[in-house]
Amino acid sequence: MIQEKNLDTLLDRLESLCVPILGHIYLTDRCQFSCPHCYRASKLIGDELTLYDWLRLLEEFKTEGCMDLTFSGGEPLLHPDWRKIIMEANKLKFSYEIMTNGFAMTEADAEFLTQNNCRELHISMHGWGETHDKFVGAAGSFTHCKLLAEYAVKLGLKTVIKMSLMHSNFHDASLLAKWSRDIGTIFGPSYYIIPRFNSNENEFLEDRLTPKEIRQCEHDYSEWTGRPSFSNCHDENGPYFCNMGWNRFAIDAHGQIYPCSQVKEPVGEVKTKSFREVWRYSERMNELRRRKNEKIDLCSNCEMEASCKFRCMGLFHLSTGKYEEPSPLHCEITAAWLGLDNF
């Protein structure tokens, strides 16, 4: 068995060799919900990849060294061939997880995922009872998802409850946390709401947490989840950009390849090209990779730089349209951590 220290060394080596270890698969753009904060909600539904395309791509991902897949959407279970795609991923020995809103999922689907070695089932629940139903725009969705999560746990399927924290649903976070703990799921709340580059689509940001609510979340987070709060984590904390395009990629339902799941600018497509051709030889992909060790000039004189966790070029690009320009919203989150509410 590989020891943890040796595993870290191995992963660093694979990253330096540009092995695409982690893949995020947007199976379809279709979704029954209308969540206000969803940054993929404005995606246009057009000709999507066929089952044959996905089976071919899974083989190509494996050949290039990919080990871990996340399936999402839209709502992945609305893809007509999602079961066949999952069966092939299991056959190829991928470790994988499913991110779903749960509304289209049945007990039989949960049993299918258990039988096909799903590593984790992530169910989005954005409040308790009517709060969730109103948030997603679908009556009865909370009850359905609640029963589904409880059944998945009984099957032994590792289940994560994902909650996007907003001002309008923040009061329900402790309820979901307690229920998650009581039934044996993992509670995964987040207030890292992503602004959209198109400013005309950002009305939902008015519902983001206040500085006081952010600090309350930080105070309660460890009790809710059993994990360190966001302000105490160490992911991506430093003066340089992240490792997008080095060991992770994303692909949408139309065959567009992205350097990570947070980027809206494709670097190539796989309807007419192989995955290897795009991953290894895309001029745009390699240009972004070279930026890994560039400093963020706009942050160089900021009093909060040492405490800032936001080094994701993808989040920058989604929010501002520029890879080197941080989102003001994330600056406000860091300011709230530090008590600088007038930043």
Side-chain angles (χ1 to χ4, degrees):
M1 180 177 295
I2 301 177
Q3 295 181 353
E4 185 174 345
K5 181 178 180 180
N6 292 334
L7 178 60
D8 289 340
T9 301
L10 173 61
L11 292 176
D12 288 342
R13 178 60 175 163
L14 291 174
E15 180 182 330
S16 70
L17 295 173
C18 218
V19 177
I21 303 171
L22 309 170
H24 194 120
I25 313 299
Y26 296 105
L27 273 185
T28 180
D29 290 334
R30 301 178 183 89
C31 186
Q32 327 93 308
F33 288 175
S34 54
C35 303
H37 69 301
C38 179
Y39 71 93
R40 297 192 64 82
S42 60
K43 295 286 289 184
L44 296 176
I45 296 176
D47 292 335
E48 298 186 342
L49 295 178
T50 65
L51 172 62
Y52 172 80
D53 290 328
W54 283 119
L55 297 184
R56 170 181 64 85
L57 286 167
L58 287 175
E59 291 278 2
E60 293 183 16
F61 299 157
K62 195 69 177 181
T63 299
E64 288 302 303
C66 183
M67 304 176 188
D68 191 286
L69 296 175
T70 295
F71 292 96
S72 71
E75 170 48 50
L77 271 66
L78 293 183
H79 190 289
D81 295 309
W82 75 269
R83 283 195 174 208
K84 294 178 182 178
I85 295 168
I86 291 299
M87 288 177 67
E88 183 66 13
N90 182 45
K91 178 182 176 182
L92 291 172
K93 306 298 183 183
F94 282 105
S95 176
Y96 72 93
E97 63 187 26
I98 300 282
M99 301 180 71
T100 175
N101 63 42
F103 202 37
M105 196 171 185
T106 65
E107 291 185 352
D109 293 331
E111 293 166 3
F112 169 82
L113 291 174
T114 304
Q115 294 162 3
N116 282 272
N117 301 306
C118 178
R119 183 184 73 247
E120 290 183 357
L121 172 65
H122 292 229
I123 304 175
S124 296
M125 297 180 69
H126 302 298
W128 191 264
E130 293 183 359
T131 302
H132 170 80
D133 291 356
K134 182 179 179 180
F135 191 96
V136 303
S141 57
F142 171 78
T143 299
H144 181 88
C145 292
K146 180 175 180 291
L147 294 173
L148 174 66
E150 291 168 350
Y151 186 71
V153 171
K154 289 180 180 178
L155 292 175
L157 181 54
K158 186 176 181 180
T159 305
V160 180
I161 303 301
K162 305 296 284 290
M163 181 184 188
S164 294
L165 293 171
M166 311 282 272
H167 178 72
S168 58
N169 68 1
F170 185 66
H171 58 282
D172 282 354
S174 59
L175 292 174
L176 276 174
K178 182 180 184 306
W179 167 74
S180 295
R181 185 167 55 247
D182 289 346
I183 70 168
T185 67
I186 298 168
F187 184 47
S190 175
Y191 51 79
Y192 288 0
I193 306 302
I194 303 172
R196 301 191 183 106
F197 174 51
N198 184 346
S199 59
N200 295 326
E201 298 178 349
N202 280 331
E203 295 87 353
F204 66 94
L205 291 180
E206 297 177 3
D207 194 31
R208 65 189 186 275
L209 296 189
T210 65
K212 181 179 179 180
E213 288 170 333
I214 288 174
R215 287 192 287 271
Q216 183 181 339
C217 177
E218 289 294 294
H219 180 270
D220 296 339
Y221 193 83
S222 295
E223 180 183 348
W224 288 347
T225 68
R227 301 187 300 276
S229 62
F230 293 118
S231 61
N232 290 318
C233 73
H234 299 288
D235 295 340
E236 307 295 357
N237 187 22
Y240 304 114
F241 284 123
C242 64
N243 63 348
M244 63 186 299
W246 284 88
N247 66 356
R248 64 184 67 218
F249 68 93
I251 177 171
D252 70 16
H254 310 281
Q256 299 289 328
I257 295 288
Y258 305 83
C260 84
S261 60
Q262 304 288 9
V263 175
K264 65 184 295 184
E265 177 193 38
V267 295
E269 55 81 27
V270 291
K271 282 189 174 181
T272 60
K273 298 180 180 180
S274 70
F275 174 69
R276 179 182 178 82
E277 185 177 357
V278 177
W279 176 257
R280 292 286 174 188
Y281 307 113
S282 163
E283 182 177 343
R284 184 57 173 153
M285 178 78 95
N286 283 308
E287 178 185 344
L288 292 174
R289 286 174 180 141
R290 287 191 289 270
R291 304 186 72 164
K292 179 179 180 181
N293 292 319
E294 293 181 5
K295 290 188 176 182
I296 307 173
D297 291 337
L298 288 175
C299 302
S300 59
N301 296 318
C302 179
E303 64 181 296
M304 303 188 300
E305 183 178 16
S307 301
C308 184
K309 313 292 185 187
F310 300 105
R311 307 298 182 190
C312 174
M313 288 193 291
L315 290 179
F316 293 176
H317 192 262
L318 278 172
S319 305
T320 66
K322 299 178 181 179
Y323 288 106
E324 68 280 0
E325 185 175 327
S327 162
L329 175 60
H330 292 137
C331 296
E332 291 174 11
I333 290 175
T334 302
W337 292 344
L338 300 175
L340 305 174
D341 296 351
N342 296 319
F343 179 81

